[in-house]
Amino acid sequence: MTTSLSGIEASNLGLLTVACFGIVANSFHGDGEPLVVSFAFSGIAFAFTYSLIRWLGNAFMKAGLKGRDMSKLKNVEIPETMGAVCAVVYLLAIIVFIPFPFYKDIVAATSGGGNRDVMMKHDELETGRILHLFPHSKLASYLSAILSLQSVVLLGIGDDLFDIRWRHKIFIPAFASIPMLVVYFVDFGVTNVVVPVHLEAYLGEMVDLGWLYYAYMAAIAIFCPNSINILAGINGIEVSQSLVISFLLLINNILSLYVAPRGLDSHPATDSHLFSIYLLLPFVGVSIALWWHNWYPAKVFVGDTYCYFAGMVFAIVGILGHFSKTLLLLFIPQIINFVYSAPQLFRLLPCPRHRLPRFNARTGLLEPSVAPWPHPPSVSLAWTLKLLANLPLPLITVETNAKGEIVESSNLTILNLWLVWFGPMREDRLAMAILAMQILSGFLGLFVRHELALWVFRQDNR
């Protein structure tokens, strides 16, 4: 990989950075305009991430953070764990961004002369404050989000350095989510859920889940990072699926803000969706820079750090933005992949260390990878596997020996399943097919959320 920027790249990134800093500087002449500033910060984050990936590639390789791309004819070594660069730039961006949505909220709503106990009159407040300035009460949530992200990045880097076993690292995001859950408990403490209309006769309109609600939020914090980490193994797939989910979440925020009432007493969900946008825009910036280097043929690997980091961003946005059900609707491919992979993940079937598709050097195409069976499966399990393999749309492939005993079966990931269904294909074609499924399922999820929600629930809280 080239470790320096070309003249055109340097000039374009320089112009982008200057323009974004100009937007930030101009915002001080008004109310801070945090939404516009967030766009500018995403541009700055993109430029910094793009440059640092180039400049730090050799340093990472010298430190041993490198790997071979097994799906290429030439297994050249390229830098690994570049997701850590994205995560650090992102954290710096959202930390520096703090004054813009919150400082004006404190100073502009007080006397501004140091006497912060003297509030402005209601009419001055109404004419002087704009929709995109959300209340100071969100500061605690914002800071807890930063703390949780810092924790998961540190733990993710530790995983990349020490290659923690799967059964141990699956709980890494749970520890990182503790600051977020504590702030949720202190500031909100709401554990009630709305009951679907058809069940109200039996359960009432609301059900208090108590501690189970916190277990549910912890489960989301565990699932989102690990689900991205499971759906991996080919160039660009981790970053691409994260970008698709990010854009879908931004569309959901825009749709919700579009229908939200305006004015001083705006809809309470407005603040939550603005909070989501502020966290997602810089994430999109750093992820596009990483995608540029990680798409086929990859020049860098993202590492587990990026998967934890990206998944935790989504978990935080869904939990603190109070639309976790919508978030899960956008994770349909990841949910399918987890359910499909469960027999291997829970050791019901043999599970090799890596389950990425197998590269055929003769054809240059990817084929379904297989897991060898050290011992033949039981009669009932063998019968089940052969039944699944002989369906009109097979869910697995099996190889048998002369005795009819299963000696190997295809690995249970949707990447391998896609190759089982449609045959060998090039790596970038496989990635684009999975992304097309992610996009289509995501728009289906948004349709269900915004058009069919009132068929199930009495009201839409957006």
Side-chain angles (χ1 to χ4, degrees):
M1 182 186 76
T2 305
T3 57
S4 60
L5 299 173
S6 67
I8 296 178
E9 287 176 328
S11 60
N12 288 340
L13 292 174
L15 288 173
L16 175 63
T17 303
V18 170
C20 290
F21 273 116
I23 293 173
V24 174
N26 186 64
S27 70
F28 288 107
H29 297 294
D31 260 339
E33 301 174 354
L35 197 55
V36 176
V37 172
S38 185
F39 272 104
F41 268 72
S42 66
I44 296 170
F46 167 81
F48 275 66
T49 304
Y50 191 101
S51 303
L52 288 171
I53 289 174
R54 289 289 184 85
W55 296 336
L56 296 177
N58 281 344
F60 272 55
M61 293 187 69
K62 289 178 181 178
L65 298 174
K66 56 187 177 181
R68 294 185 180 275
D69 194 338
M70 304 305 294
S71 299
K72 304 293 184 298
L73 284 173
K74 296 181 179 179
N75 298 142
V76 295
E77 291 184 332
I78 58 177
E80 200 168 10
T81 319
M82 279 298 169
V85 176
C86 292
V88 170
V89 173
Y90 174 83
L91 285 169
L92 292 175
I94 61 175
I95 289 172
V96 176
F97 177 71
I98 290 175
F100 293 93
F102 296 110
Y103 178 74
K104 292 293 182 180
D105 228 19
I106 299 171
V107 177
T110 62
S111 63
N115 183 8
R116 301 188 177 215
D117 295 325
V118 181
M119 299 298 295
M120 297 177 72
K121 294 180 180 179
H122 186 277
D123 57 345
E124 295 178 276
L125 192 64
E126 185 173 6
T127 57
R129 299 182 64 181
I130 307 174
L131 173 66
H132 59 230
L133 292 175
F134 58 78
H136 176 256
S137 60
K138 281 286 181 181
L139 178 58
S141 298
Y142 194 92
L143 294 178
S144 72
I146 293 175
L147 190 55
S148 289
L149 286 168
Q150 287 175 333
S151 302
V152 82
V153 169
L154 289 174
L155 293 168
I157 292 173
D159 180 25
D160 279 329
L161 290 175
F162 303 111
D163 197 17
I164 303 173
R165 289 182 177 274
W166 176 258
R167 62 177 176 269
H168 298 145
K169 68 182 182 182
I170 192 173
F171 296 106
I172 284 178
F175 294 108
S177 67
I178 290 175
M180 171 182 60
L181 297 180
V182 169
V183 169
Y184 185 92
F185 174 77
V186 173
D187 281 358
F188 301 100
V190 177
T191 57
N192 295 317
V193 294
V194 179
V195 175
V197 174
H198 308 86
L199 298 178
E200 286 183 357
Y202 309 99
L203 302 175
E205 294 186 4
M206 304 279 288
V207 172
D208 186 3
L209 296 181
W211 66 269
L212 289 175
Y213 192 80
Y214 292 94
Y216 160 73
M217 291 189 291
I220 289 178
I222 293 173
F223 172 76
C224 290
N226 284 293
S227 66
I228 294 175
N229 200 16
I230 294 172
L231 185 50
I234 60 176
N235 290 173
I237 193 65
E238 300 97 328
V239 188
S240 297
Q241 64 180 297
S242 299
L243 280 171
V244 170
I245 294 171
S246 300
F247 285 120
L248 290 169
L249 285 170
L250 287 170
I251 292 173
N252 175 67
N253 293 326
I254 293 170
L255 291 173
S256 298
L257 289 173
Y258 179 76
V259 301
R262 305 296 191 267
L264 184 64
D265 298 322
S266 61
H267 196 285
T270 297
D271 295 342
S272 299
H273 290 290
L274 289 172
F275 173 85
S276 171
I277 292 174
Y278 296 153
L279 291 181
L280 286 173
L281 287 177
F283 175 78
V284 169
V286 299
S287 295
I288 291 176
L290 181 59
W291 178 89
W292 198 280
H293 295 87
N294 182 242
W295 184 252
Y296 178 90
K299 304 174 186 66
V300 301
F301 290 136
V302 302
D304 289 341
T305 302
Y306 180 82
C307 299
Y308 290 130
F309 155 62
M312 185 56 72
V313 170
F314 300 142
I316 288 170
V317 164
I319 293 172
L320 295 183
H322 305 288
F323 51 86
S324 58
K325 294 189 295 294
T326 304
L327 176 67
L328 293 177
L329 286 174
L330 305 183
F331 268 76
I332 292 175
Q334 287 72 23
I335 294 173
I336 294 173
N337 187 57
F338 171 75
V339 173
Y340 182 62
S341 300
Q344 283 191 306
L345 297 178
F346 294 104
R347 303 294 175 177
L348 300 177
L349 302 179
C351 185
R353 181 71 177 85
H354 297 289
R355 300 183 298 158
L356 66 158
R358 177 176 56 192
F359 177 69
N360 187 325
R362 184 176 58 84
T363 62
L365 303 177
L366 295 182
E367 301 174 349
S369 61
V370 297
W373 285 78
H375 306 288
S378 64
V379 175
S380 59
L381 180 56
W383 183 85
T384 302
L385 293 176
K386 291 178 181 179
L387 175 64
L388 296 176
N390 288 297
L391 292 174
L393 203 60
L395 297 179
I396 194 172
T397 61
V398 296
E399 291 292 334
T400 58
N401 58 18
K403 299 179 181 179
E405 299 171 334
I406 295 177
V407 293
E408 64 181 25
S409 58
S410 57
N411 285 310
L412 302 182
T413 69
I414 60 173
L415 295 176
N416 287 303
L417 182 61
W418 198 272
L419 295 172
V420 169
W421 286 349
F422 300 104
M425 62 180 63
R426 219 172 68 176
E427 188 172 2
D428 56 337
R429 298 286 180 86
L430 176 59
M432 288 188 285
I434 298 299
L435 292 178
M437 178 178 65
Q438 183 86 56
I439 293 170
L440 291 175
S441 66
F443 278 109
L444 175 62
L446 290 179
F447 175 78
V448 171
R449 169 64 184 86
H450 291 274
E451 298 298 329
L452 304 182
L454 290 178
W455 287 17
V456 181
F457 299 101
R458 190 171 297 278
Q459 60 182 5
D460 187 355
N461 62 6
R462 290 294 169 185

